[in-house]
């Protein structure tokens, strides 16, 4: 009686799937067709379309819920017949698997040309595939009370959500669903037992494996291949209803409306997220992203408070800073003649012209800089260790403890199968499967590597171009401002250095956005050309390319300012030159830290503002245009499936770009935070907005995504760990070589001669003397001056010394102090990191106990269930029953002891 086509439909599932499926669909194709025909005839006689609610998520009978929708339009091209044949075969095979289909004719659609295929999964299909996919379902309400307060969270008063929103369902002890034990599970209503996210996941699982014919001697299957060939234009599960109003009976509870009211509104920016509801509606993979983003934002609040305190300290101590006081003093800084900052066109200048810049520099370059750098090294460790705990707690709460990798991530990509001309035996499944030999992949790997290298070289080239721009613009501004008397007032607060730094940073940000736009397209194309075998391989390959490029693209200019600018300048009379033409950039007498701060602020803030505007406006504009092309131009007047069809698709890589954006921000917060203690505060404000923007666009502007599982943030966690280790080194080097704190400390303890004011005389001590007569002709200013000497920032012997212009002993003392600081800071921070990692368990103790309790109770419930069944089957033989009871109890006792 078994359907002869059943195994063909599900070939790709292997033995495991077939063992669970073969019993369910034991009816012939002929009997199925006759049943559907009679049903449709009966349906047509009773159905009147104008009486159906426009917001209905049911078939025309008002009983069967729509779990998935396929759409397509008439195609007049030469392959129209082929596409029609594919659709016919595909839909026929879907019916064979037990799915029920209902087609909306194009005459009933709003645009008059789109067909909609509505799909419903009946109970028999759901229970079969729930067992195949290992979906856990409730067997008993949990007797473990919910934790009143989770670590690192302040769920108090107005911040909290209503309990019905925060915990939409009670907690249950769960077990993997088995159709043979249906009476064990808490099935009150078959229509609502499986949540809509599980239903659309099951249907998509069938769609991705259903064949649609044999072409070129190969069996073709899967909805993804049909979408790629434009046989269908889209495939999506339905939203519950409108996001601005609750559903009306008989529709089920509108979770989309609840999410919009309690999560997606900007007025709720201070509220916690309804994480369980997000998971129930969108699936665990999207849910865990919002858990991570919320937890990261929560942890940022601590770093933001400390960073703000360090900034306030710098603000309060600005006027008492001896260095800036001396620079601003007309009798000290006003009398120090500085050497020209460029050749010939730049003139000599007085040190007090940088008075304002030196004060601003003190805001971020003071004693608190060292403390904050060490604090952030410890903070990032606490963040990652507590995230491990949060993730472990989440695995328990969301039934992911025994989760294995999502099978749809491991399934073969249609593109891989289409390109494969070879097949080989899989040693595990003992089945022939597509295979691509290494020699066929190598050319694409070389092309991929060359492309990534070329684009990273392009980033470096563009950075060099910006440096050349800054050098040329600085020389022009310096000569222009010097000659124009009307700019004297402007020059007091907008010096050539500051102007060049601001415009250079803005130009660099624009170049970054342009390069990023093009590289995103190229990296996706190159990854496809590599022909990855599975979706997981595809995502991993794309992640590596995108992260490497964006790391270089966003951080290269910051690395240049932090570790290269002003470090290889030389000295007057013997400067170093870029391409033998442009003199290397010098730092401000107050150091390069203020410029690094400027660069970081512009790039980080600009990226965050641009990203949020793009995320909000892009889908909004596309959806507006689609609705404009519709007949009625009104969302309120056409059906639920058409409304969702006109929304933007989130896409398989939507979450990838969200993670990438967060990880790049994490780099700004950790890698260069010693130069800008307000970075965590800016990131915190951005993330508060980001959570609501992401929530708003998911609930209002995007189609509902297919629910999929994930038990962690995946490869991004390894990237975060790598950046955390690197951040310790970068911040140590920033404090040592970019900040001015180490030279000041060396002067304070070793060279100061004033007991009452130890820092007095530091500015004079940090500037070396150069004899103007020693200037080469091609570098000296064209106009003659009465000055005999000029000053420059370095530790070198004066011109009257026998070792003139060589580094003096103080230079080596400062260098030794810098290297010592780097070694000590890194060792201290890494020691604390390892101690914290050792002290903080990956899985909290209470979670371990709850997992043990659930396992014990599950085994006990299953044991009692099997005993009762055994009692029914063997009730006539009391001796036999007693023997079986003893065996089962021994098994339960053994399981209990192992737990």
């Amino acid at each position: 009686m078994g359907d002869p086509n059943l195994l063909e439909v599900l070939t790709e599932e292997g033995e495991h799937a077939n063992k669970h499926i073969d019993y369910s669909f034991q009816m012939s194709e002929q009997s199925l067709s006759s049943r559907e025909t009679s049903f449709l005839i009966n349906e047509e006689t009773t159905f009147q379309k104008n009486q159906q609610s426009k917001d209905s998520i049911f078939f025309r009978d008002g009983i069967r819920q729509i779990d998935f929708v396929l759409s397509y339009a008439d195609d007049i091209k030469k392959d129209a017949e082929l596409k029609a044949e594919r659709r016919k075969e595909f839909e026929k095979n879907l019916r064979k698997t037990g799915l029920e289909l209902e087609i909306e004719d194009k005459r009933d659609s709003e645009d008059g040309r789109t067909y909609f295929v509505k799909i419903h999964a009946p109970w028999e299909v759901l229970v079969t595939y729930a067992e195949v996919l290992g979906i856990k379902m409730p067997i008993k309400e949990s007797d473990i009370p919910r934790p009143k307060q989770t670590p690192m969270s302040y769920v108090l008063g107005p911040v909290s959500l209503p309990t019905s929103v925060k915990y939409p369902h009670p907690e249950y002890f769960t077990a993997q669903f088995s159709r043979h034990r249906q009476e064990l599970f808490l099935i009150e209503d078959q229509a609502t037992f499986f949540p809509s996210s599980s239903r659309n996941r099951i249907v998509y699982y069938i769609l991705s494996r259903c064949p649609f014919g044999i072409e070129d001697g190969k069996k073709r299957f899967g909805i993804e291949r049909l979408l790629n060939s434009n046989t269908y234009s889209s495939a999506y599960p339905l939203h519950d209803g409108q996001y601005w109003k609750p559903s009306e009976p008989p529709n089920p509870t509108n979770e989309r409306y609840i999410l919009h009211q309690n999560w997606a509104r900007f007025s709720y920016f201070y509220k916690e997220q309804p994480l369980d509801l997000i998971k129930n509606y969108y699936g665990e993979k999207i849910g865990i992203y919002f858990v991570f983003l919320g937890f990261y934002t929560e942890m940022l609040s601590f770093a933001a408070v400390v960073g703000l305190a360090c900034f306030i300290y710098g603000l309060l101590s600005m006027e008492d800073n001896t260095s800036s006081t001396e620079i601003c003093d007309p009798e000290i800084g006003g009398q120090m003649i500085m050497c020209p900052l460029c050749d010939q066109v730049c003139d000599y200048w007085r040190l007090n012209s940088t008075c304002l810049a030196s004060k601003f520099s003190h805001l971020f370059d003071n004693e608190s800089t060292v403390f904050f750098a060490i604090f952030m090294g410890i903070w990032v460790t606490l963040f990652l260790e507590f995230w491990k705990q949060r993730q472990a707690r989440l695995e328990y709460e969301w039934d992911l403890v025994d989760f294995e990798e999502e099978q749809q991530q491991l399934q073969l990509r249609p593109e891989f199968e289409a390109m494969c001309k070879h097949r080989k035996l899989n040693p595990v499944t003992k089945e022939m499967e597509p295979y691509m030999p290494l020699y066929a992949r190598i050319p694409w790997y070389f092309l991929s590597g060359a492309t990534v290298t070329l684009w990273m070289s392009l980033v470096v080239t563009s950075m060099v171009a910006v440096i050349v721009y800054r050098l040329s613009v600085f020389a022009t501004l310096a000569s222009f401002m010097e000659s124009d008397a009307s700019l004297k007032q402007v020059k007091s607060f907008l010096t050539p250095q500051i102007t060049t730094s601001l415009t250079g940073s803005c130009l660099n940000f624009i170049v970054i956005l342009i390069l990023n736009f093009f590289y995103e397209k190229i990296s996706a194309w190159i990854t496809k050309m590599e022909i990855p075998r599975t979706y997981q391989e595809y995502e991993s390959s794309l992640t590596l390319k995108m992260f490497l490029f964006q790391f270089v693209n966003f951080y290269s200019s910051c690395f240049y300012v932090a570790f290269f600018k002003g470090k290889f300048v030389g000295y007057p009379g013997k400067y170093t030159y870029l391409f033998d033409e442009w003199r290397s950039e010098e730092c401000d007498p107050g150091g390069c830290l203020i410029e690094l701060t400027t660069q970081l602020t512009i790039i980080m803030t600009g990226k965050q503002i641009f990203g949020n505007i793009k995320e909000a406006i892009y889908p909004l504009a596309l959806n507006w245009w689609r609705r404009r092309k519709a007949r009625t131009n009104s969302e309120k007047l056409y059906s639920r499936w058409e409304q969702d069809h006109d929304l933007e698709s989130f896409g398989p890589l939507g979450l990838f770009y969200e993670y990438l954006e967060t990880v790049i921000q994490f780099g700004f917060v950790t890698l260069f935070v010693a130069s800008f203690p307000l970075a965590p505060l800016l990131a915190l404000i951005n993330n508060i907005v980001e959570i609501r923007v992401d929530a708003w666009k998911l609930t209002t502007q995007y189609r509902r995504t297919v629910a999929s599982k994930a038990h962690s943030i995946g490869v991004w966690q390894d990237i975060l760990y790598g950046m955390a280790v690197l951040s310790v080194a970068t911040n140590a080097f920033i404090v040592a070589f970019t900040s001015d704190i180490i030279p000041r400390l060396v002067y304070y303890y070793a060279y100061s001669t004033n007991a009452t004011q130890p820092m007095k005389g530091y500015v004079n001590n940090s500037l070396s003397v150069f004899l103007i007569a020693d200037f080469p002709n091609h570098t000296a200013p064209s106009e003659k001056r009465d000055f005999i000497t000029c000053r420059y920032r370095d530790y070198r012997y004066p011109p009257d010394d026998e070792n003139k212009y060589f580094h003096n002993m103080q230079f080596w003392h400062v260098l030794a102090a810098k290297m010592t600081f780097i070694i000590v800071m890194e060792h201290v921070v890494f020691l604390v990191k390892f101690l914290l990692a050792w002290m903080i368990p990956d899985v909290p103790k209470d979670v371990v106990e709850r997992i043990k309790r659930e396992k014990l109770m599950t085994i006990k419930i299953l044991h009692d269930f099997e005993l009762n069944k055994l009692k029914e089957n063997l009730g006539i033989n009391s001796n036999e029953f007693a023997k079986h009871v003893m065996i089962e109890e021994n098994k339960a006792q053994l399981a209990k002891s192992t737990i």
Side-chain angles (χ1 to χ4, degrees):
M1 297 257 324
D3 186 346
N5 293 306
L6 179 61
L7 297 180
E8 183 183 353
V9 173
L10 298 157
T11 297
E12 295 302 318
E13 277 313 296
E15 294 300 322
H16 174 70
N18 289 329
K19 283 191 291 185
H20 291 81
I21 296 168
D22 58 5
Y23 92 101
S24 304
F25 313 121
Q26 296 177 349
M27 74 171 61
S28 66
E29 183 178 346
Q30 183 179 0
S31 63
L32 181 63
S33 300
S34 61
R35 189 192 72 171
E36 288 195 342
T37 302
S38 62
F39 179 81
L40 290 173
I41 292 172
N42 181 60
E43 192 176 43
E44 290 296 334
T45 60
T46 59
F47 170 69
Q48 291 184 352
K49 186 174 177 65
N50 58 4
Q51 292 181 359
Q52 187 184 32
S53 168
K54 289 289 184 180
D55 211 33
S56 172
I57 60 171
F58 293 96
F59 275 18
R60 294 166 187 162
D61 59 9
I63 298 172
R64 292 171 294 167
Q65 184 175 333
I66 302 170
D67 296 312
F68 226 88
V69 175
L70 308 178
S71 70
Y72 63 91
D74 283 334
D75 197 336
I76 59 173
K77 296 180 181 178
K78 60 181 180 181
D79 57 351
E81 291 184 7
L82 174 62
K83 291 180 179 178
E85 185 60 34
R86 285 174 176 172
R87 287 193 292 265
K88 181 181 178 182
E89 186 68 20
F90 186 68
E91 290 166 17
K92 183 178 76 172
N93 288 330
L94 286 178
R95 289 187 173 100
K96 289 179 186 177
T97 64
L99 294 179
E100 296 175 1
L101 276 58
E102 185 175 80
I103 299 176
E104 288 287 333
D105 192 84
K106 66 179 181 180
R107 291 170 297 180
D108 294 326
S109 65
E110 202 64 32
D111 60 8
R113 62 187 184 88
T114 305
Y115 293 88
F116 292 94
V117 181
K118 299 177 288 184
I119 301 173
H120 168 74
W123 177 255
E124 295 79 11
V125 174
L126 292 174
V127 295
T128 301
Y129 282 92
E131 184 169 9
V132 170
L133 294 173
I135 296 176
K136 289 188 173 183
M137 299 305 291
I139 55 176
K140 181 184 178 181
E141 192 163 330
S142 174
D143 59 4
I144 306 172
R146 296 183 187 271
K148 293 183 180 179
Q149 186 173 1
T150 57
M152 309 305 297
S153 65
Y154 296 137
V155 189
L156 300 172
V159 179
S160 299
L161 288 170
T163 306
S164 60
V165 176
K166 187 177 178 182
Y167 302 117
H169 305 289
E171 280 196 352
Y172 296 99
F173 292 132
T174 60
Q176 285 195 359
F177 189 83
S178 171
R179 63 178 184 271
H180 300 299
R181 297 172 173 169
Q182 289 188 36
E183 57 268 38
L184 173 67
F185 294 88
L186 301 177
I187 305 174
E188 295 177 358
D189 181 3
Q190 290 185 354
T192 59
F193 177 66
F194 290 101
S196 57
S197 58
S198 296
R199 297 176 70 99
N200 72 57
R201 181 182 164 213
I202 287 171
V203 173
Y204 182 78
Y205 185 84
I206 299 172
L207 290 172
S208 63
R209 286 157 176 78
C210 183
F212 55 83
I214 297 175
E215 299 173 8
D216 301 326
K218 297 179 182 178
K219 185 171 66 175
R220 306 296 185 184
F221 63 91
I223 186 62
E224 291 299 327
R225 187 187 293 277
L226 293 172
L227 290 171
N228 290 339
S229 63
N230 293 320
T231 304
Y232 287 103
S233 58
S234 59
Y236 53 93
L238 285 183
H239 278 296
D240 283 355
Q242 310 282 15
Y243 64 83
W244 64 78
K245 65 177 183 179
S247 291
E248 298 176 1
N251 286 351
T253 303
N254 187 354
E255 292 184 340
R256 183 190 189 192
Y257 169 75
I258 298 171
L259 283 170
H260 182 262
Q261 289 297 107
N262 296 279
W263 181 46
R265 290 195 297 171
F266 290 95
S267 58
Y268 273 42
F269 72 91
Y270 60 93
K271 293 276 190 181
E272 61 181 332
Q273 299 183 81
L275 299 172
D276 284 357
L277 199 58
I278 298 168
K279 182 263 296 183
N280 291 344
Y281 195 71
Y282 291 108
E284 289 81 356
K285 193 170 186 179
I286 286 181
I288 203 168
Y289 163 73
F290 283 103
V291 175
F292 171 73
L293 186 58
F295 181 80
Y296 170 50
T297 305
E298 211 172 280
M299 289 293 291
L300 272 176
S301 61
F302 298 98
V305 169
V306 177
L308 184 61
C310 291
F311 176 77
I312 292 172
Y313 170 80
L315 196 65
L316 296 176
S317 61
M318 187 189 295
E319 296 300 326
D320 300 329
N321 178 34
T322 307
S323 297
S324 58
T325 302
E326 290 186 350
I327 289 172
C328 297
D329 192 338
E331 299 302 319
I332 302 175
Q335 300 302 315
M336 290 184 180
I337 308 300
M338 305 298 293
C339 297
L341 293 172
C342 62
D343 295 341
Q344 293 185 326
V345 295
C346 292
D347 203 352
Y348 301 98
W349 54 284
R350 297 184 184 276
L351 184 60
N352 67 346
S353 65
T354 62
C355 172
L356 196 62
S358 67
K359 287 184 176 181
F360 278 128
S361 181
H362 178 74
L363 281 174
F364 307 105
D365 189 6
N366 52 64
E367 295 78 7
S368 67
T369 302
V370 180
F371 163 76
F372 194 59
I374 295 172
F375 168 81
M376 286 304 293
I378 297 170
W379 174 87
V380 75
T381 303
L382 288 171
F383 164 65
L384 292 172
E385 292 302 317
F386 283 132
W387 169 245
K388 278 186 189 176
Q389 288 200 339
R390 183 72 182 92
Q391 206 163 246
R393 190 179 299 278
L394 205 65
E395 285 183 21
Y396 166 74
E397 291 173 352
W398 287 2
D399 286 325
L400 299 168
V401 175
D402 301 319
F403 169 72
E404 295 180 2
E405 197 63 48
E406 182 74 6
Q407 294 186 38
Q408 75 183 50
Q409 284 289 312
L410 298 175
Q411 78 176 89
L412 299 181
R413 297 174 66 243
E415 295 87 344
F416 176 79
E417 294 180 276
M419 295 292 289
C420 284
K421 297 179 180 178
H422 303 82
R423 299 181 80 82
K424 74 170 186 178
L425 185 71
N426 186 315
V428 178
T429 62
K430 299 299 182 184
E431 293 179 357
M432 298 300 291
E433 62 179 24
Y435 165 70
M436 181 164 289
L438 184 62
Y439 68 81
R441 291 169 174 256
I442 285 177
W444 290 109
Y445 285 145
F446 273 116
L447 177 62
S448 176
T451 304
V452 174
T453 305
L454 174 67
W455 276 83
M456 287 199 291
S457 303
L458 193 61
V459 171
V460 176
T461 305
S462 65
M463 186 185 72
V464 173
V466 172
I467 293 170
V468 170
Y469 158 83
R470 283 153 47 139
L471 291 170
S472 55
V473 166
F474 174 77
T476 305
L477 284 173
S479 59
F480 177 67
M481 285 186 166
E482 192 67 34
S483 59
D484 196 334
S486 63
L487 297 175
K488 191 171 182 180
Q489 294 297 325
V490 177
K491 192 179 173 183
S492 62
F493 62 87
L494 201 63
T495 62
Q497 294 101 315
I498 293 175
T499 307
T500 305
S501 175
L502 286 172
T503 57
S505 298
C506 292
L507 179 63
N508 199 71
F509 174 64
I510 293 169
V511 170
I512 283 171
L513 292 181
I514 294 171
L515 289 175
N516 203 51
F517 173 79
F518 286 108
Y519 184 78
E520 279 187 9
K521 311 294 182 187
I522 290 172
S523 61
W525 177 76
I526 285 292
T527 306
K528 285 180 181 177
M529 292 301 101
E530 289 176 5
I531 320 173
R533 187 172 181 273
T534 64
Y535 288 99
Q536 192 177 57
E537 289 179 14
Y538 176 84
E539 194 166 319
S540 297
S541 179
L542 186 63
T543 299
L544 179 64
K545 291 183 186 65
M546 287 297 296
F547 178 72
L548 280 176
F549 174 78
Q550 294 218 6
F551 186 92
V552 175
N553 196 23
F554 282 104
Y555 303 144
S556 57
S557 57
C558 294
F559 272 104
Y560 164 72
V561 175
F563 306 123
F564 296 99
K565 184 179 178 181
K567 309 299 186 290
F568 310 102
V569 175
Y571 61 92
K574 198 175 181 180
Y575 287 116
T576 56
Y577 288 84
L578 182 66
F579 305 128
D580 294 326
E581 186 172 349
W582 289 284
R583 207 173 92 186
S584 296
E585 286 187 282
E586 292 185 46
C587 288
D588 189 89
C592 269
L593 195 76
I594 187 65
E595 187 167 337
L596 176 59
T597 304
T598 305
Q599 185 88 2
L600 188 67
T601 306
I602 289 175
I603 295 177
M604 181 180 175
T605 308
K607 181 184 182 303
Q608 293 183 162
I609 293 173
F610 178 80
N612 280 322
I613 291 174
K614 178 187 171 186
E615 285 186 23
I617 290 179
Y618 177 72
L620 193 65
L622 286 178
N623 293 336
W624 173 82
W625 179 248
R626 286 195 190 95
R627 293 191 190 105
R628 184 178 175 82
K629 292 198 302 182
R631 285 181 185 172
T632 61
N633 191 23
S634 171
E635 183 174 333
K636 297 179 181 179
L637 298 179
Y638 57 123
S639 63
R640 171 83 265 132
W641 47 88
E642 288 179 288
Q643 291 174 38
D644 285 11
H645 177 264
D646 287 347
L647 295 177
E648 182 68 7
S649 172
F650 192 61
L653 294 177
L655 212 55
F656 166 82
Y657 288 111
E658 297 293 346
Y659 274 119
L660 183 62
E661 181 183 2
T662 306
V663 168
I664 293 297
Q665 185 207 77
F666 181 80
F668 283 123
V669 169
T670 55
L671 293 176
F672 309 102
V673 75
S675 67
F676 189 40
L678 291 180
L681 180 61
L682 290 180
L684 174 66
I685 294 169
N686 172 79
N687 286 2
I688 291 172
V689 175
E690 174 81 13
I691 289 172
R692 304 303 160 180
V693 168
D694 287 348
W696 171 80
K697 72 182 184 183
L698 274 176
T699 53
T700 67
Q701 303 303 313
Y702 282 97
R703 295 173 188 160
R704 186 173 182 176
T705 58
V706 178
S708 58
K709 284 184 175 289
H711 68 316
S712 69
I713 60 174
V715 69
W716 299 109
Q717 191 152 329
D718 297 327
I719 292 174
L720 292 175
Y721 274 102
M723 294 179 79
V725 173
L726 180 61
S727 69
V728 177
T730 55
N731 283 305
F733 274 88
I734 287 172
V735 173
F737 287 99
T738 311
S739 166
D740 204 36
I741 192 72
I742 302 300
R744 290 204 294 262
L745 289 173
V746 171
Y747 178 81
Y748 183 92
Y749 288 108
Y751 289 90
S752 177
T753 56
N754 191 322
T756 56
Q757 292 180 295
M759 290 305 295
K760 191 172 184 180
Y762 167 72
V763 173
N764 183 59
N765 174 266
S766 65
L767 299 174
S768 297
V769 179
F770 183 77
L771 189 64
I772 291 177
D774 290 338
F775 265 125
N777 291 332
H778 69 281
T779 61
S782 53
E783 294 184 20
K784 299 295 181 183
R785 299 290 184 180
D786 297 332
F787 315 131
I788 300 173
T789 61
C790 63
R791 309 295 292 274
Y792 61 99
R793 183 178 173 81
D794 209 342
Y795 294 103
R796 294 180 183 270
Y797 288 110
D800 56 356
D801 193 275
E802 59 181 7
N803 295 316
K804 73 173 187 175
Y805 305 142
F806 281 93
H807 284 127
N808 58 23
M809 190 55 67
Q810 189 172 350
F811 169 84
W812 301 108
H813 287 163
V814 170
L815 183 62
K818 289 178 176 179
M819 299 308 296
T820 303
F821 172 81
I822 290 172
I823 293 169
V824 171
M825 177 180 165
E826 286 187 346
H827 280 71
V828 167
V829 173
F830 279 127
L831 179 63
V832 174
K833 283 171 73 74
F834 289 134
L835 282 174
L836 289 173
W838 173 72
M839 291 169 61
I840 301 172
D842 290 350
V843 184
K845 185 180 178 182
D846 67 304
V847 173
V848 174
E849 292 172 350
R850 286 158 69 98
I851 291 172
K852 288 181 177 180
R853 171 68 180 166
E854 177 155 354
K855 283 186 176 180
L856 180 65
M857 290 302 297
T858 302
I859 290 171
K860 184 178 183 299
I861 292 167
L862 290 173
H863 166 251
D864 292 343
F865 174 78
E866 293 296 339
L867 280 182
N868 289 333
K869 284 188 69 176
L870 192 62
K871 186 176 180 180
E872 291 174 6
N873 295 334
L874 302 175
I876 55 172
N877 191 335
S878 58
N879 293 330
E880 191 73 17
F881 174 70
K883 184 169 69 173
H884 278 280
V885 168
M886 188 176 297
I887 292 171
E888 290 297 327
E889 287 182 345
N890 288 339
K891 285 181 182 178
Q893 192 63 34
L894 180 61
K896 183 177 179 180
S897 63
T898 57
I899 293 174

